[in-house]
Amino acid sequence: MADRSHWLFTAAAALCLLAYWPGLAGDFKFDDHWNLLQNPAIAIDKITLETLTRAAASGEAGPLGRPVAMISFAINHALFGFDARAFKTVNLLLHLVNGFLVYLLGRRLLAQLETPASGWLAAAAASLWLLHPLHLSSVLYVVQRMNLLASLFCLTGMLTYLAFRQRGARLAPLAISLLIFTALAGASKETGLLLPVYVLLIEYLLLSRNPEQQRPLFLFHCTFTGLPALLAIGSLLLQPEFLLSSYANRDFTMWERLLTEARALWFYLGLLVLPLPSRMGLFHDDFILSTSLLTPTTTAFAAFGIMGLASTALYLRERAAMISFAIALFLLGHSLESSIFPLELVFEHRNYLPTVGLCIALPLILSRWQAIPIRTTACLLLVMGLVLAAATGLRSAQWSSLQQFSLTELQNHPESARSQYAVGRLYARSVSNLGSAVDQASFGTAIQHFARATELSPRYKDGLFALVVLYSSQRLSVPEGIWLELMHRLERGPINNSDINQWHNLKRCVSEGFCTIDTLQMNKLSSYFEKQNQIIPDQ
């Protein structure tokens, strides 16, 4: 019987396109402004070697600069300008391509395990992954094209490795392909450097092991995975200040972050199993910090649970290789962004690639559960896909406009400083002349949200800058308490990219005559930025 599983994937891709369509109308958000809109190297009109080289070198989002992603943004601008729909459409196309790669990867892995109907199970797995609302921010949050591209090269690298291995290729083609795709993935986003780890999992958990190949393969993976890992760990041990100094700009320590990430991983798994849009969001700065194993009390359970998951993966290596692979891929896929590095605590897009194995394992588990007839399994997977598509469509509609997005984020995350600030900006934009009752109400509401954003986070300064701009743009005196608190937070430092962005916006507002601020106050603000040596030329 002919395998027509590709039609199932095609139907899922069409459903994905339909679900994401409303969200394409949304605009740029959050870090999009810093990385794209305010980056002159991205705003190119002609595609030349010079302009692309300049764009490639302009990235500041990670230690490697992410040149591949920056080049793609520049090409996007050259073709369509800063049209948010065009940027999001490219992201959606990349997501669909990645979904197809997940389908191909699932087919190869399940066939390797001699699984009946591997094509249909792979198509079901790719459909679940493609339609899951947990991945929406990777698509509609434009700057996360970095994540999409890194995943694309990782998936392609895994497929290439599988193809070479199953054809009995020598180590040279394996090495060359792994170097190329790791370089491309890492140049898109640093998480792409985990590709050799993913290949190692495939090799030792899923591929048949020929005793004659054990020694050369062991040396191969020691070279591509073990040696780089040892060098990275060694450099951190020899120069710990490189890592620890970065925590000066955070409201948590390395130990607190490590504890919190144990709970964050279970939070992600909860969203994967029960993807309620009300629990999701772009901003999770309201996620409770773990300050010890018992504060909150769920921290200890989460930490021991993660160790239990890792032990389960080891235990199931021979008994249920795909489940072992799925768990290992999820945990190791989070090994950079959900570990000791001083990144923000929670972002949903970190699950984009790590959830691939779990989505492949679920249809396999259901198909082997003898208590469930095959037709029931098919119907269950179909219902899952439709529910996920509906949830993604709902979230996509919420991302279709700035107003809808901001209000939904605040409704779902009222304790988020960023959500409060975003809604404050909505009302501030509608204030033009305080002579009208509508403007008076909008002015007051904006003040409340900016003040609340300031209260929720002790180092967050965006709300204070927004209050200064709002008062001064209406030719009103900025309350002394706002100035004192802003100066206090700047003095505590250090100053981050968001602070610099707010400072330039304020200077622009003053220079263009929209804001009236005393020269003495502006000089005081300027001095704080000069102390931090983070002044960036006006753009």
Side-chain angles (χ1 to χ4, degrees), residues 3 35 101 109 141 159 166 174 180 197 216-217 241 284 311 323 354 368 384 394 403 513 523:
D3 181 2
N35 288 283
L101 294 176
L109 294 180
Y141 182 20
L159 281 166
Q166 290 170 340
L174 292 176
I180 291 173
V197 177
L217 281 173
E241 65 278 0
H284 287 284
S311 300
I323 298 176
R368 292 184 173 178
M384 285 183 183
L394 175 60
Q403 179 176 1
N523 289 338

Side-chain angles (χ1 to χ4, degrees), residues 86-308:
F87 277 82
K88 291 172 187 283
T89 299
V90 172
N91 281 14
L92 179 55
L93 293 175
L94 286 171
H95 181 53
L96 293 173
V97 171
N98 284 339
F100 182 65
L101 294 176
V102 171
Y103 166 59
L104 296 179
L105 181 65
R107 283 185 67 113
R108 282 191 173 273
L109 294 180
L110 294 172
Q112 179 68 31
L113 297 175
E114 299 181 351
T115 305
S118 58
W120 289 99
L121 292 176
S127 300
L128 296 177
W129 184 84
L130 199 61
L131 295 169
H132 205 291
L134 184 60
H135 302 321
L136 180 134
S137 61
S138 293
V139 180
L140 297 183
Y141 182 20
V142 174
V143 77
Q144 284 311 315
R145 183 180 301 176
M146 300 171 177
N147 194 29
L148 295 170
L149 287 169
S151 300
L152 182 146
F153 293 122
C154 281
L155 289 167
T156 306
M158 285 186 269
L159 281 166
T160 304
Y161 182 87
L162 270 169
F164 281 141
R165 277 286 285 115
Q166 290 170 340
R167 292 174 185 172
R170 296 181 179 274
L171 293 182
L174 292 176
I176 294 171
S177 65
L178 192 55
L179 280 172
I180 291 173
F181 288 113
T182 301
L184 289 171
S188 299
K189 190 176 182 179
E190 285 73 14
T191 50
L193 297 176
L194 290 172
L195 174 57
V197 177
Y198 303 148
V199 166
L200 179 67
L201 292 179
I202 291 174
E203 179 63 50
Y204 286 100
L205 293 179
L206 299 173
L207 296 184
S208 59
R209 293 183 285 278
N210 185 338
E212 295 180 359
Q213 294 180 322
Q214 284 300 291
R215 182 176 177 79
L217 281 173
F218 175 77
L219 295 174
F220 176 87
H221 289 289
C222 282
T223 302
F224 281 93
T225 305
L227 183 59
L230 289 175
L231 289 174
I233 294 171
S235 62
L236 289 177
L237 291 176
L238 291 174
Q239 294 182 314
E241 65 278 0
F242 174 78
L243 183 64
L244 297 175
S245 61
S246 301
Y247 275 93
N249 196 31
R250 296 298 183 189
D251 297 326
F252 46 81
T253 64
M254 183 170 67
W255 174 242
E256 289 172 337
R257 186 179 197 277
L258 193 59
L259 290 175
T260 306
E261 290 308 309
R263 290 175 37 248
L265 290 179
W266 286 107
F267 174 67
Y268 296 146
L269 288 171
L271 292 180
L272 188 67
V273 175
L274 191 63
L276 297 176
S278 60
R279 300 181 63 213
M280 298 182 179
L282 177 60
F283 305 127
H284 287 284
D285 52 315
D286 56 345
F287 197 81
I288 297 174
L289 181 70
S290 292
T291 55
S292 72
L293 277 171
L294 299 177
T295 310
T297 54
T298 53
T299 305
F301 293 105
F304 287 119
I306 294 300
M307 289 188 283

Side-chain angles (χ1 to χ4, degrees), residues 419-480:
S419 296
Q420 292 284 352
Y421 170 77
V423 173
R425 288 194 65 187
L426 276 181
Y427 284 99
R429 288 177 179 180
S430 64
V431 177
S432 57
N433 187 334
L434 286 180
S436 70
V438 174
D439 285 336
Q440 286 282 7
S442 297
F443 181 82
T445 305
I447 293 293
Q448 291 175 9
H449 286 291
F450 288 145
R452 181 59 179 153
T454 301
E455 294 171 3
L456 286 169
S457 179
R459 290 194 180 187
Y460 190 66
K461 311 177 193 73
D462 287 14
L464 291 166
F465 272 108
L467 287 170
V468 170
V469 170
L470 185 57
Y471 275 107
S472 60
S473 65
Q474 298 301 317
R475 303 299 188 265
L476 298 174
S477 176
V478 179
E480 185 66 20

